[in-house]
Amino acid sequence: MLDADQTTELAELFRLLGEPNRLGIVASCLEGPLSVGEITSRLALSQSLVSHHLRLLRAARLLKAGKRGKQVFYSIPDCHVREMLTNMIEHLIEPHESEDDINNEPGVRSWP
Amino acid sequence: MLDADQTTELAELFRLLGEPNRLGIVASCLEGPLSVGEITSRLALSQSLVSHHLRLLRAARLLKAGKRGKQVFYSIPDCHVREMLTNMIEHLIEPHESEDDINNEPGVRSWP
DNA sequence: CCTACCCGTGAACACGTATTCATATGTCAC
DNA sequence: GTGACATATGAATACGTGTTCACGGGTAGG
């Protein structure tokens, strides 16, 4: 299916999105370019923390940066990332299935 | 866009998939149900480690378990998870875009 | 020049967690 | 029953990493 390298590469993307504040930063930028200050105030995080996270997201090409005057604006770099995220969000929003079947019925037939 | 709770919930999914061994386990199960022993030998991991990871994936409904005799088979629980993963994998496989697409904003000074 | 503002960065700490080891539970065969 | 196999679980440890703090580096305006 996936070789070890591809798995590691994909896991790295998931890992970066697996932190609530980082995911919030990326999700905020889905609507359009945002300056660091806007991100900081929207998510109510310290500016330093936002900057640290932005560094990682930039390095992974999950966000791109552009300077205008004193401010630096961050945005989604390409349609791949945008589609990935919107797909995941759609899946999250869609109605959830029924509850858990934690109880283990003996002789359960999963489709072999 | 996403409220705090949804962000946290989605991040939790990403976090679980953000570990290479766990992602490998889930990806292996994309082809069909696998027993713990098969997963263990395919990924060359210790049985204990696989079991620990399976516990987390089960709890997050990223995998479901079914017993048959002595063995326990794990598989993808619903089409949501399957589509999410296949989409991500497709995006990973697809040819990567060119490097630097600079400014789409007027008056943006180039980024060094 | 100086000041104010916006952002990036390095060090240090605190906390989570992935991994291993040892052990427990459960199931089939004899 | 005993033993062999398949999986789950709990404790302990080592390692990564998210966060804060303090500071440095640019840039616009007076």
Side-chain angles (χ1 to χ4, degrees), chain A residues 15 19 21-22 46 48-49 52-53 70:
Chain A
R15 192 181 66 82
E19 212 283 322
N21 290 332
R22 254 179 335 235
S46 78
S48 176
L49 179 56
H52 279 296
H53 283 322
K70 284 190 283 188

Side-chain angles (χ1 to χ4, degrees), chain A residues 13 28 34 48 62 72 86 88-89 93 105 107-109:
Chain A
L13 282 184
S28 300
L34 285 182
S48 176
L62 281 168
V72 178
T86 49
M88 291 296 292
I89 291 177
I93 306 292
E105 316 137 26
V108 167
R109 318 284 187 220

Side-chain angles (χ1 to χ4, degrees), chain A residues 52-99:
Chain A
H52 279 296
H53 283 322
L54 286 173
R55 186 148 131 95
L56 301 175
L57 296 170
R58 236 186 314 153
R61 312 237 191 251
L62 281 168
L63 284 182
K64 71 175 178 185
K67 302 181 66 171
R68 190 169 46 186
K70 284 190 283 188
Q71 316 192 68
V72 178
F73 288 81
Y74 283 83
S75 55
I76 309 291
D78 54 59
C79 55
H80 271 219
V81 178
R82 166 165 271 113
E83 287 179 10
M84 275 179 11
L85 293 169
T86 49
N87 281 339
M88 291 296 292
I89 291 177
E90 285 174 6
H91 277 293
L92 177 67
I93 306 292
E94 281 176 14
H96 272 337
E97 315 241 329
S98 61
E99 284 304 313

